[in-house]
Amino acid sequence: MKAFSYLRAGSVDEARQAAASSAAMLLAGGTTLLDLAKCGVAEPETVVDISHLAGLDAISFTDQGVTIGALAKMSRVADDANIKAQFPAISQALSLAASAQIRNMATIGGNLLQRTRCPYFRDPATFSACNKRAPGSGCTAIGGVTRNHAVLGTSDACIATNPGDLAVALVAFDAVVHLGTREVAIDDFFLLPGTTPEREHAIEPGEMITAITVPASAAARRSIYLKVRDRQSYEFAAASAAVGLELEADGRTIRDIRVALGGVATKPWRARAVENALKGQRLNAATVKRASQLAVQGAVYHGGNHYKIALAPRVVERAILTMGEMA
């Protein structure tokens, strides 16, 4: 690990000023930064400690929704009784992420900024070519081992999968990211790789996440996060879906539906084609199965990740039908 200097920020403004330098990185829970530093991907000259800043770990509810401070721990948010009641998919996504030890340390803001688990990105000693780590150097993953790589939102420069669970639920329910001086819709906060895969988030130098707001909705109250993975704990998603469902008074016609995918795309993926195909439709197995196929519209596989094109619609279908049975 490269040596660095340490700055304990006295305020949010001081932290922002320090973070304006490209050689500085913020330290909150530390689970992402230390991980990246140990594998030689992150080499900050200055680590700016924000873990102690007062007021950034609050969870507050209004009739309009919930605001979660950036420094709130993953486990605390997952276990919050009001989050479980009003945003069950968010609670489930957090509970299914990482290990219990990490959830007790990692923060909500840091979770949104976690980097890809692409092995080519995280092993600079073996793989020098990675456009996300070294822009213009190439993508070793393309043509390599790709079982866990993305099939949606890819480009010729990068096929790395976004590893988030929480972010998938937040994208489904139109969360807003607070950056101190401005707010960004979360679907816009995560960037597609295009020709600049090194830039993953719409956060500028000198900005930091201070909170996340999730609007209240009937779909959010009746929601689920379904995650399929190779083992039942401490594993990233092969495919996941956050689904929220609101039915008309007849109990069978879909008034509102939210669908987002994880584990299959370069960013948390809102499946609007599925939503549009189901709104106003009667909830039945055949209709849901047909609409769920639209979840992978435009998908492109590279070698070993082809199974995700078949898997993702099945995860979406199961999540929607599960919510329908609960209605």
Side-chain angles (χ1 to χ4, degrees), residues 144-155:
V145 177
T146 58
R147 185 176 186 279
N148 293 321
H149 284 78
V151 295
L152 291 166
T154 60
S155 73

Side-chain angles (χ1 to χ4, degrees), residues 238-319:
S240 67
V243 167
L245 186 64
E246 180 186 8
L247 299 177
E248 300 285 2
D250 63 8
R252 299 309 297 170
T253 303
I254 298 172
R255 175 182 293 175
D256 187 18
I257 183 166
R258 314 290 182 88
V259 181
L261 302 174
V264 296
T266 53
K267 60 179 276 185
W269 197 261
R270 185 75 176 265
R272 296 190 187 277
V274 179
E275 298 173 354
N276 293 335
L278 287 173
K279 286 179 183 174
Q281 300 297 311
R282 296 278 291 179
L283 181 65
N284 62 65
T287 301
V288 171
K289 183 180 183 64
R290 188 165 52 249
S292 297
Q293 295 299 317
L294 299 174
V296 288
Q297 202 172 50
V300 176
Y301 71 88
H302 292 78
N305 62 353
H306 62 89
Y307 74 97
K308 294 192 176 192
I309 296 177
L311 177 62
R314 294 175 185 172
V315 176
V316 171
E317 178 185 353
R318 187 190 302 176

Side-chain angles (χ1 to χ4, degrees), residues 12 112 207 229 232 246 253 258 263:
V12 170
L112 294 188
E207 291 184 328
R229 46 190 169 173
Q232 284 304 306
E246 180 186 8
T253 303
R258 314 290 182 88

Side-chain angles (χ1 to χ4, degrees), residues 31-283:
T31 56
T32 290
L33 175 57
L34 296 182
D35 195 19
L36 293 174
K38 286 190 286 187
C39 66
V41 173
E43 295 183 326
E45 293 181 6
T46 303
V47 170
V48 183
D49 188 351
I50 62 170
S51 62
H52 55 283
L53 293 181
L56 292 184
D57 62 348
I59 305 173
S60 59
F61 289 85
T62 68
D63 291 341
Q64 285 71 48
V66 61
T67 297
I68 305 170
L71 294 183
K73 303 293 188 183
M74 290 174 63
S75 56
R76 179 174 158 234
V77 178
D79 293 339
D80 186 280
N82 287 324
I83 291 287
K84 287 183 175 180
Q86 298 185 40
F87 304 94
I90 291 177
S91 173
Q92 293 160 14
L94 286 166
S95 297
L96 292 171
S99 66
Q101 293 89 341
I102 290 176
R103 293 195 296 271
N104 286 335
M105 284 298 298
T107 64
I108 295 299
N111 184 269
L112 294 188
L113 295 174
Q114 66 178 305
R115 308 295 301 274
T116 179
R117 312 305 295 190
C118 174
Y120 303 105
F121 169 77
R122 288 180 173 259
D123 189 358
T126 305
F127 305 106
S128 58
C130 172
N131 288 320
K132 191 178 285 295
R133 174 167 33 79
S137 62
C139 177
T140 310
I142 297 176
V145 177
T146 58
R147 185 176 186 279
N148 293 321
H149 284 78
V151 295
L152 291 166
T154 60
S155 73
D156 291 340
C158 185
I159 60 171
T161 306
N162 181 284
D165 292 296
L166 168 66
V168 180
L170 295 180
V171 165
F173 301 110
D174 298 318
V176 173
V177 182
H178 298 253
L179 297 174
T181 58
R182 65 185 179 114
E183 300 173 351
V184 179
I186 193 157
D187 203 17
D188 297 327
F189 180 74
F190 292 100
L191 305 178
L192 290 169
T195 58
T196 56
E198 74 278 9
R199 191 159 190 265
E200 299 175 333
H201 311 98
I203 188 167
E204 302 292 341
E207 291 184 328
M208 61 177 275
I209 300 175
T210 56
I212 298 149
T213 295
V214 191
S217 68
R221 286 192 294 276
R222 181 170 288 154
S223 63
I224 187 173
Y225 183 73
L226 183 61
K227 181 176 182 178
V228 175
R229 46 190 169 173
D230 288 342
R231 59 174 186 263
Q232 284 304 306
S233 66
Y234 200 19
E235 179 61 289
F236 296 89
S240 67
V243 167
L245 186 64
E246 180 186 8
L247 299 177
E248 300 285 2
D250 63 8
R252 299 309 297 170
T253 303
I254 298 172
R255 175 182 293 175
D256 187 18
I257 183 166
R258 314 290 182 88
V259 181
L261 302 174
V264 296
T266 53
K267 60 179 276 185
W269 197 261
R270 185 75 176 265
R272 296 190 187 277
V274 179
E275 298 173 354
N276 293 335
L278 287 173
K279 286 179 183 174
Q281 300 297 311
R282 296 278 291 179
L283 181 65

